[in-house]
């Protein structure tokens, strides 16, 4: 998706002009993929712009870096304050997407990353519907021929930069075959997640999602928000291992992610989910989530970091 430039990007402690936010071609991460990133959204609310679950995202960034043994030279508080300042500096009053990234810069080459400088940046820009405007009506999913990483091959609890080669291969395969998004199975054949979203199904009124750790899926912050919202709405929610058959037989299905938000699934491998239209439980959950992120549900106010 194209990027809409804003004024400033924060790099290693300074707000630099958008066009000057560059790195050296021999930066370590560019060659070996070591590093981690986050995707965060901010929304316009009745009380001004607010970043959704900012602390949870920055905590996950630090957890990712801990797994990768990268020492981030900023505290959780500093990262959160910087993100808010960036939104203010760029005057993103209508909301935006934020992309923090921790990477290894110029100074060492070779697979051994020890000694390469750990660098940190955050960019923010306005970003529309990740899976396109038509996603409202439901997206067409294809089970990928690519397996999700085995956790002993790539740490799946870390949002590792290099790990997204796997996601990109699956995404390209699905899009070129005429689908919107891919569903990835783990090496054991169980359903894991999508290329940038977690997955839920509804069966006989119960809401199910693959257990993140067991399924080798990222522990989604939207997924956690949906679990809370669904429980508050009175639904039974359970993390359960599932196979592709469970997807084909689901009454409803939807995916969740910061960029995508909550998106109904209309079909999986050309088999309609329900009648192919967004189901009632999906719609109720999606509506509540959209109200929560925009500050229209006081009970979820603690998720909003006012800028
Ligand atoms: N899985 C993967 C592989 C992702 O990249 C993302 C996006 N961060 C998600 C799931 C959803 O996570 P979240 O809801 O925290 O954005």
């Amino acid at each position: 998706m194209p990027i809409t430039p804003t004024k400033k990007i924060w790099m290693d402690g300074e707000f630099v002009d958008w066009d000057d936010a560059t790195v050296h071609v021999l930066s370590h991460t560019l060659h070996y993929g070591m590093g981690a990133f986050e995707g965060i959204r901010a929304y316009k609310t009745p009380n001004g712009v607010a970043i959704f679950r900012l602390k949870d995202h920055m905590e996950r960034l630090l957890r990712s870096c801990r797994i990768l043994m990268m020492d981030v030279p900023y505290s959780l508080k500093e990262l959160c304050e910087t993100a808010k300042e960036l939104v203010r500096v760029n005057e993103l009053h209508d909301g935006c997407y934020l992309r923090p990234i921790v990477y290894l810069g110029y100074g060492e080459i070779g697979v051994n990353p020890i000694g390469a400088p750990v660098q940190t940046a955050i960019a923010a820009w306005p970003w529309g519907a990740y899976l396109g405007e038509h996603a409202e009506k439901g997206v067409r999913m294809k089970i990928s021929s690519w397996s999700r990483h085995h956790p002993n091959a790539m740490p799946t609890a870390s949002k590792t930069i290099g790990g997204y080669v796997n996601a990109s291969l699956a995404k390209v395969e699905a899009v070129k075959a005429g689908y919107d998004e891919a569903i990835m199975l783990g090496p054991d054949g169980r359903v894991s997640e999508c290329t940038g979203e977690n997955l839920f199904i509804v069966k006989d009124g119960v809401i199910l999602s693959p257990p993140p750790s067991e399924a080798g899926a990222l522990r989604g912050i939207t997924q956690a928000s949906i679990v809370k919202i669904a429980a508050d709405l009175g639904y039974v929610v359970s993390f359960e291992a599932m196979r592709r058959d469970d997807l084909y037989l689901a009454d409803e299905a939807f995916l969740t992610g910061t960029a995508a938000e909550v998106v109904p699934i209309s079909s999986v491998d050309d088999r309609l989910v329900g009648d192919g239209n967004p189901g009632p439980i999906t719609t109720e959950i999606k509506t509540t989530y959209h109200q929560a992120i925009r500050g229209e549900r006081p009970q979820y106010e603690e998720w909003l970091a006012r800028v």
Side-chain angles (χ1 to χ4, degrees):
M1 288 178 83
I3 300 174
T4 309
T6 53
K7 288 186 213 159
K8 299 279 184 187
I9 290 179
W10 182 82
M11 289 180 92
D12 302 313
E14 293 187 33
F15 290 94
V16 300
D17 287 342
W18 181 277
D19 289 337
D20 295 336
T22 54
V23 294
H24 196 281
V25 74
L26 289 178
S27 296
H28 196 280
T29 299
L30 191 57
H31 298 254
Y32 305 106
M34 191 75 156
F37 67 99
E38 270 303 319
I40 313 176
R41 272 193 192 269
Y43 296 92
K44 188 178 179 175
T45 78
N47 302 318
V49 61
I51 306 177
F52 188 67
R53 301 195 73 164
L54 173 62
K55 187 163 166 274
D56 298 294
H57 280 282
M58 290 305 190
E59 276 174 350
R60 189 172 63 189
L61 181 66
L62 293 175
R63 281 203 305 275
S64 294
C65 292
R66 180 187 168 83
I67 289 173
L68 301 176
M69 299 176 84
M70 293 173 75
D71 289 327
V72 183
Y74 300 98
S75 67
L76 175 63
K77 191 160 183 277
E78 284 169 326
L79 292 171
C80 291
E81 288 307 315
T82 302
K84 291 189 211 169
E85 180 67 13
L86 184 71
V87 176
R88 285 195 291 268
V89 165
N90 286 309
E91 298 172 53
L92 292 159
H93 307 299
D94 290 333
C96 61
Y97 181 81
L98 292 106
R99 169 55 58 86
I101 184 166
V102 179
Y103 59 99
L104 297 173
Y106 173 85
E108 293 282 331
I109 204 81
V111 172
N112 183 357
I114 296 170
V118 175
Q119 298 194 233
T120 315
I122 312 178
W125 65 92
W127 214 20
Y130 180 67
L131 291 175
E133 298 300 335
H134 76 285
E136 289 269 310
K137 298 196 181 73
V139 286
R140 297 179 61 236
M141 306 293 287
K142 179 179 181 1
I143 294 180
S144 187
S145 73
W146 296 97
S147 295
R148 202 65 174 138
H149 298 291
H150 188 287
N152 284 345
M154 177 71 75
T156 50
S158 163
K159 213 169 145 55
T160 309
I161 295 170
Y164 281 81
V165 170
N166 173 255
S168 292
L169 287 168
K171 182 81 188 186
V172 168
E173 179 187 71
V175 169
K176 281 195 176 286
Y179 298 85
D180 296 299
E181 174 58 308
I183 294 172
M184 317 228 26
L185 307 180
D188 59 359
R190 292 183 191 182
V191 176
S192 178
E193 58 178 339
C194 311
T195 67
E197 304 89 12
N198 294 104
L199 186 90
F200 284 84
I201 62 169
V202 181
K203 188 69 190 169
D204 299 329
V206 176
I207 300 172
L208 304 164
S209 191
S213 181
E214 222 178 287
L218 190 72
R219 207 170 276 280
I221 291 164
T222 320
Q223 181 188 40
S225 307
I226 294 310
V227 166
K228 171 86 176 95
I229 286 172
D232 289 348
L233 290 170
Y235 292 105
V236 177
V237 195
S238 176
F239 287 107
E240 265 182 43
M242 52 183 88
R243 303 262 180 199
R244 62 198 296 168
D245 284 350
D246 297 311
L247 305 179
Y248 299 154
L249 298 175
D251 301 328
E252 301 182 30
F254 56 94
L255 49 82
T256 65
T258 299
E261 299 172 334
V262 178
V263 173
I265 294 173
S266 56
S267 66
V268 178
D269 291 343
D270 302 309
R271 292 150 179 91
L272 289 184
V273 176
D275 65 0
N277 293 308
I281 296 177
T282 304
T283 303
E284 189 183 5
I285 285 173
K286 183 181 156 180
T287 305
T288 311
Y289 179 77
H290 279 247
Q291 290 167 342
I293 56 183
R294 291 184 175 78
E296 294 160 12
R297 288 265 175 169
Q299 99 191 85
Y300 303 115
E301 186 67 29
E302 61 173 11
W303 286 342
L304 308 179
R306 303 268 169 216
V307 164

